[in-house]
């Protein structure tokens, strides 16, 4: 089983969510087998599984996993705690803290997953800003997308948004038609409302 897990660890090229979903299933099975044969699984397995749950948006499962990981394993593998800090900040919808926690050095097994979380979460926040705001300060946009002002401005321009360098105001391009907006789900509208409230409080 140890050799099997090491082979999994060498498969570090994570292509997308389906790959992570598949991988989490394998890690769950390996965890059970290691618990039965050796008493507990190793820290590397838990690091990768916890990161996978977070990447898939399965925060409740990530929370339960964090709680049941043995304390000695957490102490032996401090990276597990760092990964959970990302999960906690996502749970609390603390955007600046999410990106702050995502920074840093990650092990080879976890790094591709954390990079995917970063990219996907940033894309999501840009979409929410584009939906929620007709104008936004560049400093706010950079803060809530985890980028420098220059990087945020460049990303906004790539998306077709208007960036006024003198006033520091960004005007997102509204690419949704009125009919599409009317068809937005109540869940999406609620998420936008919560995002606006977060930015303004």
């Amino acid at each position: 089983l140890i050799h099997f897990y090491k082979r999994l660890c060498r498969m570090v090229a994570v292509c997308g969510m389906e790959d992570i979903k598949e991988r989490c299933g394998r890690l769950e099975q390996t965890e059970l087998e290691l618990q039965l044969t050796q008493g507990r699984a190793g820290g590397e397995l838990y690091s990768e599984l916890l990161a996978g749950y977070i990447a898939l948006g399965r925060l409740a499962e990530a929370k339960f996993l964090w709680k049941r990981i043995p304390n000695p394993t957490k102490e032996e593998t401090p990276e597990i705690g760092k990964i959970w800090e990302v999960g906690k900040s996502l749970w609390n919808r603390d955007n600046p803290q999410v990106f702050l926690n995502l920074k840093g050095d990650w092990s080879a097994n976890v790094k591709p997953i954390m990079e995917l979380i970063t990219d996907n979460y940033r894309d999501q926040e840009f979409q929410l800003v584009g939906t929620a705001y007709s104008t936004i300060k560049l400093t706010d946009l950079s803060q809530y997308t985890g980028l420098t002002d220059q990087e945020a401005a460049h990303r906004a321009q790539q998306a077709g948004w208007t960036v006024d360098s003198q006033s520091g105001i960004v005007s997102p391009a509204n690419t949704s038609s009125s009919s599409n907006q009317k068809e937005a789900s109540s869940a999406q509208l609620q998420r936008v409302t919560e995002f606006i409230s977060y930015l303004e409080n």
Side-chain angles (χ1 to χ4, degrees):
L1 288 175
I2 292 294
H3 294 304
F4 171 71
Y5 178 65
K6 286 182 177 178
R7 286 199 301 272
L8 279 180
C9 289
R10 287 195 290 268
M11 297 164 57
V12 295
V14 178
C15 299
M17 291 302 179
E18 284 303 314
D19 299 296
I20 293 178
K21 186 176 179 180
E22 246 183 66
R23 193 158 178 158
C24 282
R26 293 178 186 174
L27 291 170
E28 288 167 348
Q29 184 62 37
T30 304
E31 179 199 7
L32 291 174
E33 293 172 357
L34 288 173
Q35 285 177 337
L36 289 172
T37 59
Q38 301 184 25
R40 63 169 177 157
E44 289 184 357
L45 183 148
Y46 283 123
S47 291
E48 196 170 354
L49 184 56
L50 186 62
Y53 282 159
I54 293 170
L56 293 170
R58 291 155 58 175
L59 294 182
E61 289 175 74
K63 185 176 182 180
F64 289 134
L65 176 61
W66 165 254
K67 286 185 174 182
R68 65 181 172 79
I69 295 173
N71 286 331
T73 303
K74 293 176 183 177
E75 293 169 3
E76 292 165 8
T77 313
E79 184 176 57
I80 296 173
K82 288 175 57 183
I83 295 169
W84 177 236
E85 287 301 313
V86 174
K88 280 201 302 184
S89 54
L90 283 167
W91 189 284
N92 295 325
R93 293 176 181 171
D94 185 348
N95 288 40
Q97 195 62 42
V98 169
F99 290 109
L100 184 63
N101 290 336
L102 281 165
K103 290 180 180 178
D105 296 327
W106 300 103
S107 66
N109 303 322
V110 169
K111 185 177 179 180
I113 303 175
M114 305 311 286
E115 289 176 346
L116 189 63
I117 293 171
T118 302
D119 292 343
N120 287 350
Y121 192 70
R122 181 170 288 132
D123 288 345
Q124 173 184 313
E125 297 313 302
F126 262 100
Q127 290 173 8
L128 286 171
V129 168
T131 304
Y133 276 83
S134 57
T135 60
I136 186 172
K137 291 180 180 178
L138 178 59
T139 52
D140 287 341
L141 178 63
S142 62
Q143 181 181 10
Y144 295 108
T145 55
L147 297 171
T148 65
D149 288 356
Q150 184 177 4
E151 290 169 338
H154 180 66
R155 173 73 181 265
Q157 289 171 331
Q158 283 186 318
W161 298 5
T162 302
V163 179
D164 189 324
S165 57
Q166 290 187 335
S167 65
I169 297 296
V170 178
S171 302
N174 188 353
T175 56
S176 299
S177 67
S178 58
S179 60
N180 287 338
Q181 290 176 350
K182 289 178 182 178
E183 293 172 1
S185 69
S186 59
Q188 289 174 315
L189 294 175
Q190 179 63 27
R191 180 71 179 91
V192 169
T193 301
E194 290 171 353
F195 182 76
I196 295 174
S197 176
Y198 176 80
L199 287 177
E200 295 182 345
N201 290 316

